[in-house]
Amino acid sequence: MRLLLFGGFLGSGKTSTILEVAKQITEVQAETVAIIENEIGEAGVDDKLLKTSGIEVRPLFGGCVCCQITSDLVTAVAEIHKTINPDWLIIEMTGIAVPSKVADFIGKYHLISSIKTITIVDAGRWPELLAVLEPLMESQIAKSDLVIINKIDLAGFELSDTIESVKKIAGSVPLLTACALNKLPPKVLAEVLRA
């Protein structure tokens, strides 16, 4: 079972990206996928969107895995591995989670063939988010395996500044771009699914 962990602040486009990745896995690659959604709140919004696409979702409520890693996530991963054993497991993290920390935690407790962390950056809101949440943005990006700067079509004249700012934080982490109004480019899908 290969694991993809998607992080990024609320509204960055994680759910849309996950839908496209799941479609690529199931329809093009003819492999199986399971999704765990981690939200704070009483009822999921994103899980309804995912379910309408025919993808089964297990939501985890009551806290985010970056701040308080509980047995719920471990239990969910173990249960999916034991009962379904899909080719791929995708975990959609809350906007305040740090994917690399969760990957390290899961890696200690489960035999997963590969773990990849992907952080989605909202190009349209990057300056505002960085100004308010700089430590969080830096921790999400710096230790990711891949960063996707999403919504470049909504970034306006600041796009080159945004890309340079994210590159500074990302260092050697691969960096790709995507538009909010278009499907993910094949290059982005291929990089997300590269083991």
Side-chain angles (χ1 to χ4, degrees):
M1 184 168 74
R2 290 164 286 180
L3 175 61
L4 297 174
L5 284 164
F6 281 87
F9 200 72
L10 182 66
S12 62
K14 293 187 302 286
T15 301
S16 299
T17 302
I18 287 170
L19 283 172
E20 288 195 52
V21 169
K23 185 175 181 179
Q24 175 75 18
I25 291 169
T26 57
E27 294 180 8
V28 178
Q29 297 181 193
E31 295 178 305
T32 57
V33 64
I35 298 172
I36 296 175
E37 176 190 29
N38 184 39
E39 285 193 8
I40 295 176
E42 294 181 10
V45 175
D46 291 340
D47 63 324
K48 291 180 181 119
L49 176 61
L50 291 165
K51 284 180 183 175
T52 61
S53 301
I55 298 167
E56 202 54 42
V57 178
R58 172 164 180 184
L60 296 175
F61 299 112
C64 109
V65 284
C66 69
C67 317
Q68 174 187 346
I69 298 177
T70 67
S71 63
D72 287 345
L73 181 62
V74 174
T75 302
V77 172
E79 178 184 322
I80 288 169
H81 184 66
K82 182 180 177 183
T83 60
I84 303 170
N85 196 20
D87 297 306
W88 296 85
L89 173 60
I90 296 174
I91 299 177
E92 179 180 8
M93 318 261 297
T94 65
I96 56 174
V98 178
S100 62
K101 290 183 180 181
V102 177
D104 291 344
F105 183 75
I106 291 173
K108 291 178 185 176
Y109 294 96
H110 295 284
L111 294 174
I112 308 268
S113 62
S114 69
I115 300 176
K116 187 169 200 171
T117 58
I118 299 111
T119 297
I120 312 291
V121 172
D122 183 342
R125 297 184 303 155
W126 175 253
E128 293 83 14
L129 291 174
L130 188 62
V132 177
L133 302 166
E134 185 172 352
L136 174 63
M137 299 290 105
E138 288 180 352
S139 61
Q140 285 182 339
I141 291 168
K143 293 189 177 177
S144 287
D145 296 313
L146 174 65
V147 175
I148 300 171
I149 300 177
N150 197 20
K151 302 183 180 183
I152 61 168
D153 47 333
L154 305 177
F157 67 92
E158 303 164 341
L159 180 59
S160 60
D161 292 340
T162 295
I163 292 172
E164 283 307 310
S165 175
V166 174
K167 276 184 183 178
K168 277 181 156 176
I169 297 168
S172 62
V173 175
L175 190 74
L176 299 172
T177 58
C179 295
L181 302 176
N182 298 323
K183 292 186 173 186
L184 285 177
K187 178 181 177 181
V188 173
L189 276 172
E191 186 62 35
V192 167
L193 295 172
R194 187 190 329 256

